[in-house]
Amino acid sequence: MDTTHYQDLIAANAPCGALAIDYPHGHVIAPHRHPHAQLLYAIEGVLCVETADGRWVVPPTRGVWLQPDVEHLVRMRGDVKMRTVFINTPELPNLPQQSCVLDIPPLLRELIVSAVGLGLGVELPPDSRAWHLLRLLVLELRSVPVLPLYLPLPAEPGLRGICEALMAEPDQAISVVQLAERLSIATRTFHRRFLADTGMRFGHWRQQARLLLALEQLARGDKVIDVALAHGYTSQSAFAAMFRKHFGSVPSRFFRNGAGDA
């Protein structure tokens, strides 16, 4: 089902509109853009959202917020139950001002599910229960925390080529010295250019890339030990410790809990 034109069905007087679509593992929504801001949220499965500047990996209980007119592609990891919310333009000034991953706490989740039940394109009386429900959904979006589930990609061709190669083979043990030699630059220059282009230190970027790529494989049911070794970790325990530090839960419990251990 094509989602690229559903934003045209949002009622003019509605704060937002929502719909539900389920996708099988591996499905890809081709690059497209919307004139409205969009929240993509998966009740089950993992969404991988890619833009020209980078990619977001979005596990359950999280959602990716996309600014208006951002061209993006969406890949499904595992069977995905996706819920999409389009936000009417007048609501944007107090909402996130850049694309990002947001936490989706229980109240916001229930508001999204309820909004889906209202349908799109329905004119809503301003004091109706439905209007207030959608308005509350928008208000809740203003208070949820932003999560570090974004992987920026450099614009400079040489650096971008290195990043794409490391994403294709995340277990590579190649050193920064060797990577700098590929570009015929000093190691210090490599670090400086990478930080300036991505806003992230290379070591942090590499760690983030491995963890987010691992998250995709875990979503399709791969064994934790296999995922750990495939992403450059020497043991399952080392991978689990880094995973917990980053995501708040060990891999074996992450998709069952959808959040931290607490």
Side-chain angles (χ1 to χ4, degrees):
M1 184 181 296
D2 181 14
T3 64
T4 58
H5 302 295
Y6 272 92
Q7 72 281 356
D8 299 329
L9 300 178
I10 302 174
N13 73 330
C16 61
L19 73 153
I21 307 177
D22 297 343
Y23 294 101
H25 168 68
H27 183 84
V28 177
I29 301 176
H32 63 285
R33 64 181 74 222
H34 307 289
H36 289 74
Q38 180 185 18
L39 176 72
L40 289 166
Y41 166 57
I43 293 176
E44 294 181 11
V46 169
L47 300 171
C48 300
V49 182
E50 302 175 15
T51 71
D53 297 324
R55 65 205 304 266
W56 292 266
V57 177
V58 191
T61 78
R62 278 78 171 179
V64 65
W65 171 264
L66 293 175
Q67 291 293 104
D69 295 314
V70 172
E71 185 173 76
H72 58 284
L73 172 152
V74 185
R75 301 182 189 276
M76 313 300 164
R77 294 292 181 260
D79 292 335
V80 172
K81 293 184 177 181
M82 189 174 78
R83 306 298 179 255
T84 300
V85 180
F86 295 107
I87 312 297
N88 261 337
T89 302
E91 302 288 343
L92 292 180
N94 295 315
L95 288 166
Q97 296 302 297
Q98 59 184 7
S99 300
C100 57
V101 173
L102 301 174
D103 188 27
I104 307 294
L107 174 58
L108 184 54
R109 181 188 64 218
E110 294 305 319
L111 289 169
I112 292 171
V113 171
S114 296
V116 167
L118 297 176
L120 291 173
V122 180
E123 291 293 328
L124 302 174
D127 283 330
S128 66
R129 176 183 178 277
W131 188 92
H132 283 292
L133 186 151
L134 296 180
R135 179 66 176 153
L136 180 58
L137 191 163
V138 173
L139 290 173
E140 285 298 304
L141 280 172
R142 296 176 180 174
S143 62
V144 296
V146 175
L147 302 174
L149 294 170
Y150 175 57
L151 190 69
L153 292 175
E156 195 278 313
L159 292 176
R160 193 179 185 99
I162 283 174
C163 289
E164 290 174 346
L166 291 175
M167 290 168 63
E169 297 182 65
D171 61 337
Q172 287 188 64
I174 190 168
S175 69
V176 176
V177 173
Q178 293 171 302
L179 294 174
E181 288 176 349
R182 287 186 183 182
L183 301 180
S184 301
I185 58 177
T187 303
R188 181 176 297 179
T189 303
F190 178 91
H191 282 298
R192 176 173 51 80
R193 289 185 182 177
F194 195 92
L195 179 61
D197 204 339
T198 65
M200 184 179 288
R201 296 186 183 280
F202 176 73
H204 183 197
W205 183 94
R206 193 174 199 174
Q207 180 186 92
Q208 181 94 334
R210 284 173 168 170
L211 286 170
L212 294 184
L213 291 167
L215 197 62
E216 294 184 38
Q217 284 193 256
L218 290 170
R220 70 188 188 199
D222 291 9
K223 293 181 179 179
V224 175
I225 182 60
D226 293 338
V227 173
L229 297 177
H231 291 83
Y233 292 87
T234 56
S235 68
Q236 180 171 327
S237 59
F239 170 68
M242 184 59 67
F243 191 96
R244 179 168 184 164
K245 179 180 178 180
H246 197 81
F247 296 121
S249 176
V250 294
S252 60
R253 298 183 64 183
F254 184 80
F255 289 99
R256 185 172 69 232
N257 291 354
D261 292 334

